[in-house]
């Protein structure tokens, strides 16, 4: 019996996925504006901001996924991509808006004398400098001048500058970071185990039995679990030591016993220190009958120990 992997059903509550896309796009837009304002008035943190923006979109997406019972990781990832894209786009949109309004107020006097509107002058300068007006011209101008990843307060010769193709690559990397973080967080949330008969996420983590954290011991437990011999698996668990332990944990639905619980064999090391480290060394879905057999085997050894 090889380990069985939990497969999300791809289902969700009616309308939950369209609403997730909307949530991601709106959160992305709002968070993007906030990020651009912080970057403009307070501080700009190179590559940290895209990660934070992605995490904000991903965090809101995860909440909506939990609420909408979305078990469709691909759809969740796509919604995260959309939200991340909108978010980073709104960062650029706010920068562009700030650029136009700042320059407009500075050249208002000149514009009044020349008989042209500030907007006309800005676009004329952009065309003269880059060959393009509007947002495209603004981005080309930024790329031409170079994007410094240091604060504006520092002198220009300090820090790294991205010019030309480098500037465009930097923007692409920022987009990929925001979109990637948001999509990963959303997909991971949608991949969590779900009870299809009760229509709820698994809500219980039950430590079933603990034993030795030495590999030579827990690998025998794994062999017996794979063989479906739960009594032998429980018997082979060995003793918890002051330093290490292994624990069989069942992640399951608290409302029924007709679902397939997720069995994790976790090994914790450095128990005697302030930073114990736990890792999952084996994971499989169990059939309901197998879960019952496992719990009965644990019960039997407890009863034997008590008598
Ligand atoms: Zn259930």
């Amino acid at each position: 019996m090889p380990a069985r992997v939990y497969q999300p059903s791809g289902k969700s509550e009616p309308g939950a996925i369209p609403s997730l896309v909307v949530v991601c796009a709106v959160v992305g837009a709002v968070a993007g504006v906030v990020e651009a304002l912080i970057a403009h008035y307070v501080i700009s943190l190179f590559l940290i901001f895209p990660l934070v923006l992605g995490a904000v979109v991903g965090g809101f997406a995860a909440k909506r996924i939990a609420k909408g019972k979305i078990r469709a990781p691909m759809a969740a990832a796509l919604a995260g991509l959309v939200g991340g894209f909108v978010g980073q786009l709104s960062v650029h949109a706010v920068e562009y808006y700030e650029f136009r309004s700042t320059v407009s107020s500075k050249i208002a006097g000149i514009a009044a004398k020349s008989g042209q509107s500030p907007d006309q002058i800005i676009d004329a300068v952009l065309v003269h400098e880059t060959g393009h007006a509007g947002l495209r011209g603004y981005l080309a101008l930024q790329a031409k001048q170079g994007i410094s990843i240091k604060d504006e307060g520092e002198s220009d010769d300090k820090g790294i500058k991205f010019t030309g193709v480098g500037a465009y690559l930097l923007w692409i990397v920022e987009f990929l970071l925001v979109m990637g973080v948001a999509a990963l967080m959303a997909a991971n949330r949608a991949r969590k185990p779900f009870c299809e008969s009760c229509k709820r996420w698994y809500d219980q983590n039950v430590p079933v039995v603990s034993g030795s954290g030495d590999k030579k011991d827990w690998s025998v437990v794994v062999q017996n679990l794979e063989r479906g011999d739960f009594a032998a698996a429980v018997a082979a668990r060995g003793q918890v030591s002051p330093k290490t332990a292994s624990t069989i944990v069942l992640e399951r639905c608290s409302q029924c016993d007709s679902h397939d619980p997720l069995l994790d064999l976790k090994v914790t090391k450095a128990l005697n220190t302030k930073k114990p480290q736990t890792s999952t060394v084996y994971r499989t879905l169990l059939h309901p009958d197998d879960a019952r057999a496992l719990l009965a085997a644990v019960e039997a050894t407890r009863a034997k120990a008590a008598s």
Side-chain angles (χ1 to χ4, degrees), residues 195 198 253 256 259:
C195 179
C198 302
C253 165
C256 73
H259 62 284

Side-chain angles (χ1 to χ4, degrees), residues 125-138:
V125 172
L126 287 177
V127 169
H128 177 74
E129 290 287 328
T130 70
H132 302 284
L135 178 63
R136 196 173 163 194
Y138 169 66

Side-chain angles (χ1 to χ4, degrees), residues 7 30 41 58 62 72 79 83 107 121 135 155 181 282-283:
Q7 294 290 355
V30 173
Y41 293 107
I107 62 172
I121 296 176
L135 178 63
S155 65
V181 169
Y282 178 71
R283 164 174 283 185

